[in-house]
Amino acid sequence: MKKNYFVFPETEHYREYLGFRHLRGQNTLVSLAIFLMMALTIIYMVLSDYLIMPIIGFSVGYLVILIINFATVAYSQENYYYLKLGKYITSIALFTMMIVTIIYFKSPSFIPLLFVAYAICSIYKDTKVLLWITLYFIFAIIMLILNFGYLFDFQNVLEIKDLAIGFFVVLFILILLLSSLIIVKEKTFFYNNISYAKEKEFRNLNLLMEFETKNEASIIHQKDYYQEAKNLLSAFAEDVNIKDTFSEKLDLLMKIANNVDKKILLKEHPDFSNDDLEKLEELLLDKNSKLRRIILKLKHTQIKKYKTREIFSATHFQSFNKQSDSIEVKILCFVVYYVALKKGLPGMKPLSNQELYDGLLNTDLHHFIDPKIIKIYRENFDVFNTIADEMKLGGEEA
Amino acid sequence: MIKFLKKILHSEFLPVSEVRKLKVHVVMTFLFIITLVTIPFSFFLEYTLTIKIASIVVFALFYLLCFLLVKFNKIFTAIQVSIIYSILLMLFYTRGISSFYAYIFFYITLTVIIFYQEIYSYFIYGSLTLAYGIYYTVSFGSGLILANDIAGSVYIYIAGLAIYYLVSFIQILNNEKLYADLNLEWVKINNLNSNYQDELLYHLEDMRNMMKKSPIYEDLEFQKTAFELSEFIAEQILKDGKQIVNLIDLYIYIHEKGLENVLKNGEISIAMKKNANILSRYLLNENSDMFSMIISFYLNFHETEKFKKTRYDYNISSLSDLSDEQIIAFTLIYLYLQDELLEDSGWHSMNYKEINLEELFERIDLTEFFSVSIIDFYQSNIELFRKTNKRKG
């Protein structure tokens, strides 16, 4: 199996979608903060009687950042990736603007604006943005110390000035980076789990449909439903005095369900094209149709009501590496999990040694097992195989 | 150290409670470094030797307190203590010298408070830090400015701190809302998945009965393999593997007798009952975490359709954009579900005979499945649909 980061490779798409879904809101906050910075800079320059040209210069600088920001949001309607591009450009441009401000005013009082810029950019909650701006931050500080050393010639001179600058700035950047990184990871935790749960839902529904189809007692009687729907909807069309467009489509569905050849259908129903028939197929109450999946979801949605006030409950987090569990419980969980998968549950295919190895070690699943246990498994793969291979397999009948 | 950094880098796989603990560890590491550096730095601060020594002792005590609180899992208290600790450090530096380096401590303290992402803590401690920062800048600003600095530079320092405070506050509020929304979405899908798994468990049991097989936990080969592998792992991690054998015995016993009976049994020790409670989350014959993770693993090897944008769209408008076809889809769903209510198939987790379809439709948000026009169609023609009800009388 190809080395995958996610248990279900499809989760990557939904994670990305979640990221984009929230990026617009984050982008609005960043734009507002930049606008606030622009307003304050202009107010300060006007009150301090600066010439009109520098005021226009700074205004244009901020406006260019805002325009780029708005443009990427507008283009993101066409392609989401413009939003991604927008956050990188905005972050770098904002930092550049701050450095220009410090150099222009030649005052250390503007240096804390670099911290403000960092806080603004961290609204994006993006690891790449954080790493870029951290590097830029370090570059900016080194550049200021080397080329604009006079910015640090305070009236109250400390004997160990250079050491103090180096230490506290590095410390501040480190704590800022680590705290922002963990906050980003908190968001990723939810993105991971939601996208995982979404994909699991999709696959659970598929498995349910498969099981229901295996169980003859629950096989649906398709013909009856199409006929019943036809009766109901032609009565409706008659009631409200509209053209009955339903009956022919339901007749067609009935024929498609009975595997009537498409060529015959097209001949018998000349108003319908091949595309129309393909679209109609989506409405089949077939064992694997999308309509069937919608019905299954609808059916289960109403069974249990979720508690809206359930907050960050640990019970929702499934793992064999819970801090509250002893190492003995963790070992037991892993072993039972491994042996059950190897043996296979009724109706389920027992998994091969290689499939188990790939699933446990080459996906993010290994994060949910104690590292000591997973290390033993990795290093003693052959021992595990030898012990487990002696067991008679269960699962699906051959 | 590498283990610690790895934990930070992979913290997206940790639950919120563990991330909170990790945050305290990160803050404690930083406070430890600052405290250590404070010892040589204190020579340059304007304090008497007694105050310097007393302060270092107080910091050491705070650090010890924080350490003990984490050890005894009192994370919320540890958070408060670590915040107060960072405020004390800030006060120590800012009262000791009027300098740009002391001024950075306002940002360091705010960053520590922001890090915990607790609104009330930030509002209280953050506002106090900001207020003191403004006071400090106005009163002791001379050490922050150059000899020929620009006009109003003190106010720029204040503005910088205030904007940092404000932006961080907005970020915390935004995160709070974001996490609450994401959490709700997650809980919703998890509950649905739990419902599906109830049904899957029912089908698996059904299949097992049809195949005339005994439950997996009763299978002697399964038990033997589990014992051997557990002992093999335990011998490498623990001193001896005896305890794990007892635990597996208990695990199988819970499956056979049921958790309630185990807990009621007077002959079983309190420690064993405590373990039984923990193990109940991992049973094989219930819709437990173990069952859920087995299903997930199995699903990974189950063939699935190629990813399409509409993969998770369960609205009938994703089937067709024509309103008559959507009406057909709705009608088919209605008729099918109505029959399901009459049959025993499906609905294993509910008392289906007590409920009719209208009531069920009232309970859920129909907009997730149908467009507004289709819901209107249903509501305007409800009498027509009632006529198809096979459970009359």
Side-chain angles (χ1 to χ4, degrees):
Chain A
M1 198 176 87
K2 195 182 152 209
K3 186 170 169 124
N4 283 320
Y5 186 67
F6 307 109
V7 175
F8 303 132
E10 292 79 6
T11 54
E12 200 176 347
H13 301 279
Y14 201 72
R15 270 163 54 97
E16 201 164 50
Y17 159 76
L18 283 171
F20 285 124
R21 198 173 83 185
H22 296 114
L23 192 53
R24 284 174 196 278
Q26 290 160 356
N27 204 56
T28 311
L29 286 179
V30 170
S31 305
L32 282 172
I34 295 172
F35 184 79
L36 177 72
M37 298 287 284
M38 180 177 82
L40 287 174
T41 310
I42 294 169
I43 290 169
Y44 168 74
M45 291 178 85
V46 170
L47 289 178
S48 305
D49 292 329
Y50 276 84
L51 295 172
I52 192 73
M53 282 314 284
I55 297 177
I56 292 173
F58 274 100
S59 309
V60 169
Y62 277 111
L63 281 174
V64 167
I65 301 174
L66 287 172
I67 288 167
I68 291 171
N69 203 282
F70 295 147
T72 50
V73 171
Y75 279 112
S76 69
Q77 309 280 354
E78 301 287 324
N79 190 334
Y80 278 144
Y81 289 94
Y82 278 106
L83 264 183
K84 222 173 183 178
L85 183 70
K87 68 180 172 187
Y88 297 134
I89 298 176
T90 307
S91 309
I92 299 294
L94 183 63
F95 253 81
T96 310
M97 196 68 199
M98 293 303 123
I99 295 170
V100 169
T101 311
I102 296 166
I103 295 170
Y104 178 79
F105 288 103
K106 296 180 183 64
S107 168
S109 57
F110 282 94
I111 293 173
L113 293 189
L114 286 175
F115 310 155
V116 175
Y118 200 103
I120 293 173
C121 296
S122 58
I123 290 177
Y124 283 127
K125 294 190 193 70
D126 186 289
T127 318
K128 281 182 194 155
V129 168
L130 282 178
L131 292 175
W132 277 112
I133 58 172
T134 305
L135 287 175
Y136 202 3
F137 196 130
I138 294 168
F139 159 78
I141 292 293
I142 293 172
M143 189 266 292
L144 289 175
I145 293 172
L146 293 180
N147 297 315
F148 302 90
Y150 59 85
L151 285 172
F152 301 95
D153 288 335
F154 298 102
Q155 291 178 46
N156 183 359
V157 180
L158 195 67
E159 291 88 328
I160 45 161
K161 188 186 81 174
D162 292 338
L163 183 69
I165 292 174
F167 178 73
F168 286 114
V169 170
V170 166
L171 193 79
F172 180 62
I173 294 173
L174 262 178
I175 194 163
L176 211 52
L177 175 67
L178 277 183
S179 67
S180 306
L181 203 65
I182 292 177
I183 291 168
V184 171
K185 297 281 178 185
E186 279 182 295
K187 173 210 73 177
T188 314
F189 169 83
F190 283 110
Y191 284 8
N192 278 349
N193 282 297
I194 291 173
S195 48
Y196 171 79
K198 274 266 176 195
E199 179 60 24
K200 192 174 173 185
E201 176 183 34
F202 184 85
R203 288 175 185 237
N204 267 336
L205 287 170
N206 275 358
L207 192 61
L208 261 181
M209 289 199 285
E210 195 184 304
F211 280 174
E212 285 193 0
T213 311
K214 273 186 190 172
N215 180 2
E216 283 183 23
S218 66
I219 289 178
I220 50 170
H221 306 289
Q222 299 169 8
K223 265 188 197 168
D224 294 343
Y225 292 111
Y226 300 127
Q227 189 56 52
E228 262 191 81
K230 189 179 163 185
N231 296 343
L232 193 147
L233 291 174
S234 44
F236 160 71
E238 210 178 300
D239 272 4
V240 293
N241 206 15
I242 57 164
K243 192 186 165 199
D244 180 7
T245 56
F246 310 110
S247 296
E248 192 178 5
K249 287 186 176 178
L250 281 157
D251 282 340
L252 262 169
L253 276 173
M254 242 184 286
K255 288 174 188 169
I256 297 169
N258 286 329
N259 298 320
V260 177
D261 192 72
K262 267 191 186 172
K263 283 176 190 163
I264 300 171
L265 291 178
L266 289 169
K267 217 179 226 179
E268 285 177 1
H269 301 270
D271 292 343
F272 287 82
S273 67
N274 206 26
D275 282 353
D276 294 332
L277 291 186
E278 273 177 21
K279 274 175 75 186
L280 263 181
E281 278 173 8
E282 297 267 357
L283 305 183
L284 282 175
L285 267 173
D286 194 8
K287 54 183 181 181
N288 289 320
S289 71
K290 201 167 176 191
L291 191 68
R292 187 84 190 281
R293 192 179 288 124
I294 293 174
I295 292 173
L296 268 179
K297 179 171 164 101
L298 212 152
K299 194 170 111 176
H300 288 88
T301 302
Q302 50 221 355
I303 293 170
K304 275 182 202 165
K305 277 259 172 181
Y306 59 88
K307 293 171 193 159
T308 49
R309 293 181 71 82
E310 252 174 297
I311 49 152
F312 309 124
S313 172
T315 53
H316 285 279
F317 187 70
Q318 289 166 354
S319 164
F320 295 144
N321 189 23
K322 286 190 175 160
Q323 226 172 23
S324 52
D325 290 348
S326 65
I327 187 70
E328 287 89 352
V329 171
K330 289 177 186 174
I331 295 172
L332 181 144
C333 284
F334 174 73
V335 167
V336 169
Y337 186 55
Y338 175 83
V339 182
L341 286 168
K342 174 79 188 165
K343 190 165 177 61
L345 296 178
M348 290 186 172
K349 181 177 78 78
L351 297 170
S352 70
N353 293 331
Q354 195 55 44
E355 282 174 327
L356 274 167
Y357 184 86
D358 287 333
L360 288 168
L361 296 175
N362 292 341
T363 67
D364 51 14
L365 192 68
H366 71 272
H367 290 289
F368 305 114
I369 298 164
D370 189 277
K372 289 194 280 288
I373 298 171
I374 209 78
K375 188 170 173 258
I376 291 172
Y377 172 66
R378 186 189 288 118
E379 289 170 357
N380 300 280
F381 177 54
D382 292 336
V383 180
F384 273 73
N385 292 347
T386 311
I387 297 174
D389 284 344
E390 284 172 15
M391 180 174 59
K392 197 177 147 197
L393 301 180
E396 277 184 340
E397 297 284 80
Chain B
M1 190 62 189
I2 293 167
K3 204 176 154 193
F4 183 58
L5 284 174
K6 267 189 179 173
K7 204 171 179 182
I8 291 173
L9 288 174
H10 295 136
S11 57
E12 72 262 41
F13 297 105
L14 299 173
V16 178
S17 56
E18 285 181 37
V19 172
R20 208 173 275 135
K21 199 170 180 177
L22 182 68
K23 284 180 177 181
V24 180
H25 281 299
V26 170
V27 170
M28 278 178 67
T29 310
F30 275 100
L31 294 178
F32 180 72
I33 295 168
I34 298 175
T35 310
L36 269 188
V37 172
T38 301
I39 300 168
F41 260 97
S42 62
F43 289 109
F44 303 96
L45 303 177
E46 296 155 4
Y47 290 118
T48 61
L49 187 66
T50 324
I51 292 178
K52 283 176 190 172
I53 293 168
S55 303
I56 301 292
V57 170
V58 169
F59 293 143
L61 285 175
F62 259 87
Y63 191 84
L64 188 70
L65 178 62
C66 217
F67 178 80
L68 289 173
L69 286 167
V70 174
K71 188 147 181 73
F72 293 105
N73 224 15
K74 303 281 176 205
I75 303 300
F76 278 103
T77 321
I79 288 173
Q80 302 300 315
V81 173
S82 66
I83 292 175
I84 295 169
Y85 186 174
S86 60
I87 290 174
L88 287 177
L89 267 170
M90 173 193 80
L91 286 171
F92 182 70
Y93 272 87
T94 52
R95 299 304 293 175
I97 190 166
S98 165
S99 152
F100 182 77
Y101 322 111
Y103 173 78
I104 292 178
F105 264 88
F106 293 114
Y107 288 90
I108 292 178
T109 309
L110 280 178
T111 308
V112 166
I113 307 168
I114 296 158
F115 186 30
Y116 289 123
Q117 298 282 302
E118 309 271 348
I119 291 182
Y120 295 111
S121 298
Y122 185 75
F123 185 69
I124 296 166
Y125 299 116
S127 305
L128 285 174
T129 307
L130 174 70
Y132 177 62
I134 293 170
Y135 164 76
Y136 174 84
T137 316
V138 172
S139 310
F140 309 100
S142 57
L144 299 173
I145 55 175
L146 303 177
N148 54 346
D149 216 331
I150 53 168
S153 55
V154 167
Y155 298 105
I156 296 166
Y157 276 114
I158 293 171
L161 192 62
I163 299 171
Y164 189 80
Y165 168 84
L166 203 68
V167 169
S168 305
F169 202 14
I170 290 168
Q171 200 184 354
I172 291 177
L173 290 173
N174 179 46
N175 285 350
E176 186 77 9
K177 191 185 174 311
L178 175 74
Y179 295 155
D181 291 348
L182 289 174
N183 182 60
L184 189 61
E185 194 174 342
W186 184 36
V187 168
K188 246 170 104 174
I189 311 169
N190 269 344
N191 280 339
L192 266 172
N193 274 327
S194 173
N195 292 340
Y196 302 139
Q197 279 163 200
D198 274 338
E199 198 93 349
L200 286 173
L201 188 67
Y202 172 87
H203 282 294
L204 285 170
E205 277 298 292
D206 215 29
M207 266 184 259
R208 187 182 61 76
N209 286 329
M210 280 190 339
M211 290 158 83
K212 294 189 172 67
K213 282 189 170 181
S214 55
I216 189 167
Y217 54 85
E218 282 180 9
D219 185 292
L220 292 177
E221 283 183 333
F222 170 85
Q223 292 182 7
K224 183 177 160 265
T225 315
F227 274 118
E228 278 182 36
L229 286 175
S230 306
E231 276 185 301
F232 176 73
I233 299 174
E235 276 164 11
Q236 297 183 58
I237 299 177
L238 305 162
K239 279 178 190 164
D240 67 280
K242 277 180 191 167
Q243 219 181 332
I244 194 87
V245 174
N246 294 337
L247 203 67
I248 295 187
D249 275 336
L250 176 67
Y251 181 70
I252 293 163
Y253 186 67
I254 304 168
H255 279 93
E256 286 165 356
K257 300 288 173 191
L259 180 68
E260 258 184 57
N261 290 327
V262 173
L263 295 179
K264 275 181 198 165
N265 192 334
E267 289 172 15
I268 294 176
S269 69
I270 293 171
M272 290 279 265
K273 284 180 183 172
K274 205 178 154 192
N275 276 334
N277 255 325
I278 294 169
L279 292 176
S280 67
R281 290 203 303 265
Y282 306 113
L283 298 182
L284 283 162
N285 58 348
E286 280 179 19
N287 185 3
S288 61
D289 283 8
M290 176 64 77
F291 178 71
S292 178
M293 287 183 75
I294 288 174
I295 291 290
S296 300
F297 198 99
Y298 178 72
L299 288 173
N300 200 25
F301 294 92
H302 213 69
E303 274 194 27
T304 178
E305 296 92 324
K306 217 177 155 198
F307 186 87
K308 275 195 268 175
K309 268 188 177 176
T310 54
R311 190 175 178 91
Y312 309 127
D313 192 348
Y314 296 94
N315 196 299
I316 58 167
S317 56
S318 66
L319 302 178
S320 170
D321 44 11
L322 297 174
S323 55
D324 63 339
E325 288 179 4
Q326 285 188 27
I327 288 175
I328 289 174
F330 175 82
T331 311
L332 288 170
I333 291 171
Y334 185 93
L335 294 170
Y336 183 83
L337 280 178
Q338 190 172 255
D339 271 4
E340 286 263 302
L341 281 170
L342 290 169
E343 285 175 23
D344 273 5
S345 60
W347 314 90
H348 305 297
S349 337
M350 66 180 292
N351 192 358
Y352 56 89
K353 284 182 181 155
E354 306 279 313
I355 305 163
N356 66 46
L357 198 52
E358 269 179 51
E359 283 174 70
L360 287 176
F361 274 8
E362 277 168 22
R363 286 185 188 184
I364 55 168
D365 177 18
L366 286 175
T367 54
E368 194 185 342
F369 303 96
F370 312 110
S371 63
V372 178
S373 57
I374 295 297
I375 298 168
D376 281 347
F377 158 77
Y378 164 63
Q379 280 162 352
S380 327
N381 297 284
I382 202 158
E383 283 304 322
L384 196 68
F385 281 98
R386 271 179 196 154
K387 281 181 196 165
T388 64
N389 192 346
K390 290 161 189 157
R391 197 190 285 160
K392 287 164 195 161

